[in-house]
Amino acid sequence: NDYFRDAAEVVHSHFQRERGETYTKEEVTSSWEANLRVKESRALSNVGSIIEAAAILERSFPRTRNSEHQREPHDHATLESLMLLGNLHTMSGRVSDAVTEYKFALLKNPYALEAVERLAKLGCDECTILALVDVGLNRLVKEQLNVAQSKNKSTRDTFVDDSKAFE
């Protein structure tokens, strides 16, 4: 148990020295920092500090609201962080919060069958789960289309620049 706590402290002190500032467990700003917080939370949950582990993730990945004033997952939240927080909420008896996290997991990754399974076990109805998967798939397709269009535009711009060189 002390091993996990010591490891977390080593990582924290390294982070402090690297950035030259005091380490605070607030909102993450990068994917590597998000991974660090997930590992820290997982280590704390392994030693039985469920509440502390959940609190780290809640502070690290605060919820935002979209234009319709609906809550959305944090930009750096991953399937792993959402599922872990959902599991921590389930273990601590916060079922409605767990359901929210599993729903966010499906919005982030509509292929997350473990989120579907957990939602079903927590009593979420089939129509709601299917609607979440549908919304998640629509978002995923739109993201991929945007990526493909930007790559296509970049390739087209490069082609136009190259063709001007031959004039």
Side-chain angles (χ1 to χ4, degrees):
N1 291 347
D2 290 336
Y3 173 77
F4 289 111
R5 287 190 193 280
D6 292 343
E9 289 303 317
V10 167
V11 170
H12 290 217
S13 62
H14 176 73
F15 182 76
Q16 270 183 307
R17 287 190 305 273
E18 285 286 314
R19 296 188 84 179
E21 57 190 44
T22 304
Y23 178 77
T24 58
K25 298 175 186 173
E26 299 301 324
E27 181 177 356
V28 298
T29 57
S30 65
S31 58
W32 71 265
E33 189 178 2
N35 288 333
L36 174 71
R37 301 285 174 82
V38 169
K39 289 177 182 179
E40 177 185 13
S41 181
R42 190 172 304 286
L44 287 169
S45 70
N46 286 340
V47 297
S49 298
I50 304 302
I51 304 298
E52 188 178 352
I56 287 170
L57 291 178
E58 288 171 339
R59 284 191 308 266
S60 299
F61 304 106
R63 303 292 173 238
T64 57
R65 296 202 180 265
N66 62 15
S67 58
E68 292 89 35
H69 300 289
Q70 297 172 330
R71 289 181 11 164
E72 290 189 333
H74 189 273
D75 289 340
H76 292 291
T78 61
L79 176 61
E80 182 182 14
S81 67
L82 295 166
M83 291 300 296
L84 178 57
L85 187 52
N87 293 341
L88 293 168
H89 286 327
T90 301
M91 288 188 282
S92 63
R94 296 171 55 188
V95 175
S96 64
D97 290 332
V99 168
T100 300
E101 296 306 321
Y102 297 138
K103 286 179 177 180
F104 285 151
L106 274 181
L107 291 175
K108 281 278 191 181
N109 184 345
Y111 298 108
L113 295 178
E114 62 271 25
V116 171
E117 179 184 357
R118 302 261 167 67
L119 285 168
K121 284 182 179 179
L122 293 175
C124 199
D125 64 285
E126 182 179 343
C127 292
T128 302
I129 295 171
L130 291 174
L132 287 166
V133 169
D134 189 43
V135 170
L137 283 171
N138 283 332
R139 284 183 180 182
L140 185 63
V141 167
K142 286 178 184 176
E143 287 174 14
Q144 293 303 314
L145 285 173
N146 288 337
V147 168
Q149 288 171 349
S150 66
K151 283 183 181 178
N152 190 20
K153 183 180 183 288
S154 173
T155 303
R156 189 176 35 223
D157 291 346
T158 303
F159 179 73
V160 169
D161 291 342
D162 289 345
S163 65
K164 289 179 182 178
F166 292 110
E167 293 177 359

